[in-house]
Amino acid sequence: MKKTKIIKLKETDSTNSYLKNYTPDKAEDMTVVVADYQSAGRGQGKNTWESEPGKNLLFSILVHPVCVPVNRQFLLSMAGAVALKHALDKYDGGFMMKWPNDIYWQDKKISGTLIETTIARHHIQNCIFGIGIDVNQTEFPDTVPNPVSLCQITGKEVSLKHLLKEVVEAFQDVLEMIEDGDYTDIAALYHQSLYYGKGFHRFEDENGVFEAGIVEVEDDGHLVLHDREGVIREYAVKEVKFL
Ligand code: BTN
């Protein structure tokens, strides 16, 4: 069983930033920090992450996956998405992972993850999974593209405490899988529930819009597509958009 410490905050700038400046006890395998409100929540790239105070889950998980080879670090993204889906599956059956690590319900985003790693002496010393899950918020600013919250899906208010417990347990399980070297199983679970994983869909890259199917997500995190002409196209994060 992973030794886990949970820190609860009323407010912070960003739970990821909080953990970047945090020194865990030696015996602590996993540190979780959860906040009711973030004054400067960060999303992927240059994005911000906004949330009504006390309505959603805003938390970060710090782990030390030194056994994962640096060139396999996308496995951590897959594992995080697998853990989140596993916890959310208890509420509804329709959750999918959208490459690289968003969680979607139907065509809407319920959760995003910002992963930040520290590499030293050729090992991943620290990995912070910063996760936002829309839980009880029902109105979103127009600037948020296609949001959905768990209470909109289930039709009732959801206990943040209960959901956090389920997510933390799911992370403990996937971390054990990582330590046991079950990389193939994690990648299989990720691919099984991949959004746009079956059939042809519309994508857009720097050359325009095209239709393609997903072949796979490679170990290094690249997305491999095959277009209608049978041409294989390979993308890094942010090089291709799902339409
Ligand atoms: C994304 O989809 O762009 C990733 C969003 C990640 C947001 C979470 S909220 C908790 C943690 N703290 C942050 O500042 N960001 C992550």
Side-chain angles (χ1 to χ4, degrees):
M1 191 60 172
K2 299 259 152 271
K3 187 159 184 291
T4 304
K5 178 168 173 179
I6 301 188
I7 301 165
K8 294 187 177 170
L9 305 172
K10 278 251 156 285
E11 180 175 338
T12 187
D13 52 354
S14 149
T15 52
N16 268 40
S17 306
Y18 181 96
L19 280 178
K20 274 190 179 172
N21 299 315
Y22 174 85
T23 311
D25 283 348
K26 278 219 167 56
E28 214 169 295
D29 300 308
M30 210 161 118
T31 315
V32 182
V33 58
V34 55
D36 289 346
Y37 178 71
Q38 296 183 127
S39 53
R42 295 189 282 120
Q44 284 170 18
K46 293 200 170 91
N47 295 342
T48 56
W49 187 264
E50 314 290 341
S51 167
E52 271 180 32
K55 292 273 178 176
N56 300 318
L57 264 187
L58 306 168
F59 64 106
S60 300
I61 300 180
L62 170 66
V63 292
H64 315 280
V66 282
C67 61
V68 175
V70 173
N71 64 0
R72 295 292 313 267
Q73 60 179 303
F74 190 74
L75 187 82
L76 296 167
S77 273
M78 289 187 179
V82 166
L84 287 171
K85 177 174 150 51
H86 187 79
L88 289 168
D89 279 347
K90 303 207 160 97
Y91 296 82
D92 192 88
F95 296 101
M96 313 281 272
M97 285 82 140
K98 177 171 176 257
W99 176 79
N101 55 17
D102 288 343
I103 304 293
Y104 264 50
W105 181 81
Q106 297 182 355
D107 290 313
K108 295 178 174 197
K109 176 165 168 171
I110 183 167
S111 169
T113 301
L114 171 66
I115 298 185
E116 299 183 292
T117 53
T118 315
I119 293 163
R121 297 184 299 276
H122 308 292
H123 290 283
I124 303 168
Q125 304 290 346
N126 296 317
C127 173
I128 299 172
F129 294 89
I131 299 161
I133 308 177
D134 289 329
V135 184
N136 289 319
Q137 187 164 334
T138 52
E139 283 172 22
F140 296 89
D142 294 342
T143 45
V144 184
N146 48 353
V148 69
S149 66
L150 197 50
C151 88
Q152 288 176 318
I153 296 167
T154 59
K156 48 183 185 255
E157 189 151 321
V158 172
S159 155
L160 295 179
K161 194 174 156 201
H162 194 70
L163 177 61
L164 180 67
K165 181 173 174 285
E166 279 163 343
V167 172
V168 169
E169 283 170 7
F171 266 83
Q172 289 171 331
D173 291 346
V174 291
L175 286 172
E176 263 163 33
M177 288 176 80
I178 288 175
E179 274 168 22
D180 294 346
D182 294 342
Y183 296 1
T184 317
D185 291 349
I186 291 171
L189 286 168
Y190 178 83
H191 281 93
Q192 243 169 47
S193 303
L194 207 49
Y195 177 74
Y196 275 16
K198 293 194 177 84
F200 280 81
H201 300 274
R202 290 172 76 237
F203 294 87
E204 185 177 9
D205 69 8
E206 57 179 6
N207 299 312
V209 175
F210 61 98
E211 287 194 351
I214 295 180
V215 179
E216 64 165 338
V217 177
E218 291 181 322
D219 285 351
D220 62 5
H222 282 89
L223 178 70
V224 184
L225 303 179
H226 63 106
D227 66 20
R228 290 274 187 199
E229 283 71 48
V231 177
I232 297 291
R233 302 174 181 227
E234 199 177 312
Y235 297 95
V237 175
K238 302 276 181 209
E239 286 179 353
V240 66
K241 265 203 258 172
F242 291 50
L243 298 181

